Amino acid sequence: MTADQPGLDMTTSINRILIQYGELTLKGRNRRDFERALGDNIRLRLSRAGIDWPLEQRHHRALVHVPEQAAEQLPTALAALGQVAGIATFAPAVFIPAEQTGQPHRLETAPIEQSMVSLANARHRPGATFAVRVNRADKRIPIRSDALARELGAVVLRQTPWDKVNLTQPDLQLNLDIYEEGCYCYADKQRGLGGLPVGTAGRAIALLSGGIDSPVAAYLMARRGCAIDFVHFTATRVQQTRAAEELVARIARQLSHYTLRSRLFLLPYTHFDMAMMGHNSGYDVVLFRRFMSRAAERLAERCGAQALVSGDSLGQVASQTMENLVSTSRAVQLPLLRPLIAMDKQEIIDIARRIGTYELSIQPYKDCCALLSENPRTRSTPELLERLEAEYMPNMDELLEQTLAEQVCLEFEVGELVGQG
Ligand code: ATP
Ligand code: MG
């Protein structure tokens, strides 16, 4: 393919997706486990998107082999990779094997020039600027990166309509990465999700409401490598048959694009509600937070989870004053992680939009918290709450077990319901 063949679709020559790992590379001794987990997660995520292309893993990077005639599936594959935690960047690339370039002792640039020219041609916009960047990971190649970049830039200027170079802020960056197996030419490098592969940083139970915040909290933990299951308390009767259509189930299903494999436990609010009847202390919201956390802690023991996650953000609502957050934490032994604690609402909303939960979270939903007192106390102490609990819920253990006994569990895998019980 050359500049003399205008209109040729360059995607026909894309034969790899080049994936660069993020912080994984820092993990030294554990690197192998991390790379294995990332490989498994990439394969699962792609295969759930209907793509079963081969994955090759190499030092610090992975390559998805794009079959010939598969160009129309490429956008689907790229979108899927954009949701995999542990990927720093990814780019559809033209791979030129070492045999074609004469590596490592020479570097035959003709095939590289051809790819660069075709990448450049397909992306030309009048007035736009470009730059060529060369990364020579294989240092045996007898030519320096900057010299090669200049040479390739001159070729692009000569053979394509591109006529302006800008090395500091180019509109188009043409990249050449030289590794021992060959060269990768690419133009459309995208930022990945970052973080660590799901499943490499423990397991947690995320308290999921129908609101905006808690799905974002769960997502952030998953992105940091944590395997996630969800628990939700519902005021409507937990019905097996309709459970999957509940709003919170749709939120959990959407989140599973990122968390990959997650269970959602639906628990009834009724046992707590009945115990509270006739009592009007103004502390019922905090008492409910403590009750939910205790139930989640019992679930965590059964799921092998090491921590709880909530969507609390300091001072956002009355139940999230420092005092009330502390009172909730004190009800459980497990750490209650709060990844949103220092974030502003708008920052949380921005993430919710990006991960596709915002539109679900703003739909009308009768969360059980709406049934609790409208003006909750902003100050509480664990000691006072313990006294109230002893009075209202002397049978706490029994209430928790009754609540857990009525659980309905939905199992999600990458955006699909795969089990129910
Ligand atoms: P969200 O937007 O996540 O609902 P919020 O700002 O509305 O949060 P609260 O309603 O005070 O805050 O809830 C605080 C946290 O308690 C939530 O982020 C969530 O982790 C948990 N939570 C609230 N309601 C429920 C529920 N019905 N089931 C499970 N967890 C819940
Ligand atoms: Mg809420």
Side-chain angles (χ1 to χ4, degrees), residues 198-268:
V198 172
T200 60
R203 173 174 290 278
I205 299 262
L207 289 133
L208 195 63
S209 74
I212 295 169
D213 304 329
S214 46
V216 174
Y219 157 76
L220 288 175
M221 292 307 296
R223 196 184 66 154
R224 208 53 213 158
C226 199
I228 297 283
D229 288 311
F230 306 108
V231 61
H232 174 72
F233 280 80
T234 171
T236 44
R237 261 184 67 78
V238 186
Q239 284 177 317
Q240 289 270 4
T241 44
R242 286 194 43 253
E245 288 129 58
E246 294 282 335
L247 186 68
V248 71
R250 289 163 59 205
I251 293 175
R253 185 157 64 84
Q254 173 61 20
L255 281 169
S256 71
H257 285 107
Y258 300 92
T259 63
L260 302 179
R261 293 190 178 94
S262 289
R263 285 168 290 186
L264 166 64
F265 298 96
L266 293 162
L267 300 181

Side-chain angles (χ1 to χ4, degrees), residues 11 92 95 100 110 170 240 406:
T11 54
F95 172 63
Q100 279 184 35
Q240 289 270 4
E406 285 174 37

Side-chain angles (χ1 to χ4, degrees), residues 108-139:
E108 169 62 58
T109 55
I112 299 170
E113 290 172 12
Q114 217 174 64
S115 301
M116 286 296 194
V117 163
S118 99
L119 288 170
N121 270 327
R123 288 163 183 74
H124 180 253
R125 276 174 294 129
T129 60
F130 81 98
V132 176
R133 299 262 148 80
V134 174
N135 166 33
R136 188 175 49 130
D138 186 350
K139 299 290 185 219

